[in-house]
Amino acid sequence: MRYHILRFDIWLCLALSFLVSLGTVKIVEGILPKKYEDYVQEHIVEDGNIGGKAGEDVYRAQNVEDLLNNETFTIISPGIEYCNKGAGYYDNFYMYSVTLPSGERIAACINMDSVQHTGDSMYSGDSILPVGRIVYEDLTSNEYFINQIEYSEELSRKDFYIDMIGNGGKLSKEDYTETPILITQLLTIFIMFPIFHTIGSKLGIFPTFFSFKKKKEAEWK
């Protein structure tokens, strides 16, 4: 097996670039909390709207027919059964296999911030799911998703899902900040590495990556 060892100058420039990236990450970390607060405010859903908390005036659907005959509705689920019967990603949504009181199963994306629990904890009593609406979609077009969400039992309908997110469904603070921090660090290293190496090359400390020799013109007699 062949081992390739990076030259000392490459390691040194990478180390210096990494140290600079810690500074830029620190700056970004100082900006992101305010950005996250704005993001949270934009994703707060008012009660009664799609993805918001369902009040007493919101229709309690009992079966698929109720879903089809009402523009908006909610579903009452025992305990946390609504997120224990299969789930999977469909496009950008994480959907759950939700059991209706009739026993029929449908796929639903749920704003967990708007789920209301009637018991002493989320594990006891009933859970009132957020206000939802039907979105017609051929779920069988994503075979991997179907295999995930139907791991315990088949869905009753696969030609639609229930949108219980609306403008909600915000990311956690960790998930929100993770990507911009990583991009900032990688971008800083990518920019600073050639700068450090160019400076070292001009000072004669590092060898150059590329050497260009002037071509001599051929002399013709």
Side-chain angles (χ1 to χ4, degrees):
M1 184 181 289
R2 246 182 180 178
Y3 294 94
H4 298 278
I5 301 175
L6 289 177
R7 290 180 349 206
F8 170 75
D9 57 312
I10 295 177
W11 279 116
L12 181 57
C13 289
L14 283 174
L16 292 172
S17 300
F18 176 75
L19 289 175
V20 174
S21 74
L22 295 180
T24 55
V25 164
K26 201 72 178 175
I27 294 172
V28 171
E29 285 177 339
I31 298 171
L32 286 175
K34 179 61 172 67
K35 291 287 185 183
Y36 184 70
E37 288 178 13
D38 295 339
Y39 166 79
V40 169
Q41 289 301 315
E42 291 173 0
H43 287 76
I44 292 177
V45 185
E46 293 183 6
D47 296 352
N49 291 340
I50 304 299
K53 292 181 179 179
E56 294 296 330
D57 58 328
V58 179
Y59 186 81
R60 270 59 174 161
Q62 300 296 310
N63 49 48
V64 168
E65 185 178 356
D66 288 344
L67 302 179
L68 298 174
N69 291 332
N70 289 273
E71 187 175 345
T72 60
F73 45 78
T74 186
I75 298 169
I76 308 299
S77 179
I80 57 170
E81 193 270 351
Y82 60 92
C83 59
N84 281 341
K85 296 297 183 180
Y89 276 103
Y90 185 85
D91 289 340
N92 296 322
F93 297 111
Y94 194 68
M95 296 195 193
Y96 299 88
S97 176
V98 176
T99 305
L100 296 166
S102 64
E104 297 167 293
R105 288 182 180 272
I106 45 87
C109 50
I110 303 169
N111 180 10
M112 295 300 177
D113 292 335
S114 296
V115 177
Q116 303 171 81
H117 305 285
T118 61
D120 295 331
S121 71
M122 62 188 300
Y123 304 102
S124 62
D126 291 328
S127 295
I128 305 172
L129 301 188
V131 179
R133 66 184 180 93
I134 281 182
V135 177
Y136 287 98
E137 189 83 26
D138 180 13
L139 301 181
T140 61
S141 62
N142 189 327
E143 185 177 351
Y144 181 71
F145 162 73
I146 287 295
N147 290 336
Q148 283 185 307
I149 201 168
E150 291 188 332
Y151 85 91
S152 64
E153 191 173 332
E154 188 176 353
L155 294 174
S156 302
R157 294 287 294 265
K158 303 175 189 178
D159 58 331
F160 68 80
Y161 68 87
I162 305 303
D163 175 14
M164 289 183 165
I165 286 186
N167 193 44
K170 66 180 184 295
L171 296 172
S172 68
K173 189 174 183 179
E174 291 73 22
D175 290 339
Y176 181 84
T177 58
E178 182 180 14
T179 299
I181 286 175
L182 179 61
I183 291 175
T184 298
Q185 189 162 41
L186 292 177
L187 193 59
T188 301
I189 294 173
F190 180 78
I191 293 172
M192 294 308 300
F193 176 83
I195 291 176
F196 281 127
H197 201 279
T198 299
I199 293 172
S201 298
K202 289 188 178 296
L203 293 175
I205 302 172
F206 304 145
T208 57
F209 275 125
F210 304 102
S211 59
F212 299 95
K213 295 181 179 179
K214 294 183 178 179
K215 291 183 178 180
K216 294 183 178 180
E217 293 183 1
E219 293 182 4
W220 297 87
K221 291 183 179 180

